[in-house]
Amino acid sequence: MSLDAKTIAAITDRIQHAQDKVHTITKVTDEHPSMSIEDAYAVQDELRRSWIARGDRVTGLKAGLTSRAKMLQMGVNVPSFGIQMASMARPENSAIEMSGLIHPRVEAEIAFVLKNELKGKGLSIEQVIAATDYVIPAVEVIDSRYEKFKFDLVSVIADNSSSARYVTGGRPLDPQGLDLRTIGVVIEKNGEIQALGASAAVLNHPANAIVMLVDHLATRGECLPAGSFVMTGGITEAIPVARGDNIVARFQDMGSVSFRFI
Ligand code: 0L1
Ligand code: MG
């Protein structure tokens, strides 16, 4: 770590204020150029502590920036992980309020729910699949707290990897019977196709996002417990949305996820 606990706490307060009051801030690295990726995850730890102290509950984790489309779109070249809380979850077909968001974008992802714990470095795709209870379609609503959605990797990780809302839906499926590299995905906004792709866009196989997440957790002396919910990252680029937009993400053989912005 390059920053002390007091500085991490001050950065956490600044980010949390922006998230709560729905406004943009300058990048944290503008003020703290020596800030490391480890420091940024320490900010996430502080955010989680503070959310739990408020009565919120951790519902899962996410891997972000796991596709070439997303890396190109955001100008970075490694994944970023983040924490999902109960306050971010919205039901399928719900109306998501724009008043709590700055400049949201949506991305279609495959989420995994584990039946067994995963831990350690260098797991195989087969080990991830064997530990998975089911996979389920998800749409993440990301909302960077940075101006114009522009950031570096350290800054975005400190902002909990742009996490804002998420919706799951469609059909939960046993991954044993699926080719998880070839799931076709289409995102529609107001009935018009905005983006399409195949699930191999996520690190050649979305289970690789879980492998990388478990590697990251192992570095921190942590693991993914049984029952964990993990979103593996957008299959296409993220689509900007506005009040009044209706979103449908269709996942081949897995059903669809719909909601709207009000
Ligand atoms: O879930 C994601 O891919 C988001 C990671 C953070 C970068 C972004 O805001 O696109
Ligand atoms: Mg995402």
Side-chain angles (χ1 to χ4, degrees):
M1 300 253 301
S2 70
L3 302 180
D4 60 25
K6 203 167 148 226
T7 311
I8 295 289
I11 295 169
T12 306
D13 282 352
R14 185 161 166 264
I15 288 175
Q16 192 160 33
H17 190 272
Q19 292 176 346
D20 290 347
K21 301 292 176 198
V22 196
H23 64 79
T24 56
I25 50 175
T26 54
K27 294 199 305 294
V28 289
T29 49
D30 290 352
E31 204 182 335
H32 303 284
S34 69
M35 189 169 172
S36 64
I37 287 181
E38 213 186 339
D39 293 324
Y41 283 113
V43 171
Q44 284 195 13
D45 291 342
E46 284 303 305
L47 286 169
R48 173 172 43 206
R49 253 191 288 280
S50 153
W51 290 328
I52 289 171
R54 287 177 180 182
D56 207 348
R57 182 173 49 87
V58 175
T59 49
L61 293 174
K62 68 177 251 188
L65 301 171
T66 46
S67 71
R68 189 171 298 281
K70 284 278 317 192
M71 287 184 191
L72 279 175
Q73 184 180 29
M74 304 325 298
V76 302
N77 57 10
V78 269
S80 68
F81 304 105
I83 304 160
Q84 302 297 301
M85 303 297 293
S87 59
M88 301 174 186
R90 292 293 180 275
E92 213 181 347
N93 298 317
S94 62
I96 296 182
E97 295 190 359
M98 280 298 287
S99 56
L101 300 164
I102 305 166
H103 40 200
R105 299 177 177 182
V106 296
E107 44 189 31
E109 314 198 3
I110 292 177
F112 285 59
V113 175
L114 300 189
K115 58 184 175 192
N116 298 322
E117 174 190 271
L118 283 173
K119 71 172 169 197
K121 293 200 172 223
L123 295 178
S124 64
I125 288 176
E126 291 70 27
Q127 284 172 300
V128 172
I129 298 294
T132 300
D133 190 4
Y134 59 89
V135 288
I136 185 167
V139 177
E140 184 176 23
V141 180
I142 51 169
D143 191 31
S144 178
R145 269 53 66 162
Y146 300 116
E147 288 155 10
K148 301 194 167 87
F149 244 101
K150 293 268 181 254
F151 43 68
D152 47 56
L153 189 62
V154 167
S155 296
V156 73
I157 291 170
D159 183 26
N160 196 27
S161 296
S162 307
S163 302
R165 306 283 182 267
Y166 70 91
V167 183
T168 55
R171 271 192 291 282
L173 289 179
D174 181 346
Q176 298 282 0
L178 280 179
D179 181 356
L180 272 179
R181 297 164 307 161
T182 57
I183 307 285
V185 170
V186 172
I187 304 181
E188 293 172 15
K189 181 165 82 175
N190 306 325
E192 301 273 329
I193 293 176
Q194 302 288 313
L196 44 89
S199 52
V202 173
L203 297 166
N204 296 324
H205 190 303
N208 277 325
I210 310 271
V211 171
M212 294 184 86
L213 172 61
V214 178
D215 270 15
H216 161 76
L217 292 171
T219 310
R220 313 185 86 226
E222 296 169 14
C223 69
L224 258 187
S228 292
F229 165 81
V230 183
M231 292 195 297
T232 53
I235 290 165
T236 69
E237 73 275 23
I239 306 301
V241 289
R243 186 174 278 117
D245 283 344
N246 280 287
I247 300 299
V248 183
R250 299 183 196 281
F251 293 69
Q252 181 191 352
D253 299 332
M254 297 179 80
S256 60
V257 180
S258 309
F259 55 94
R260 66 190 200 281
F261 289 92
I262 57 165

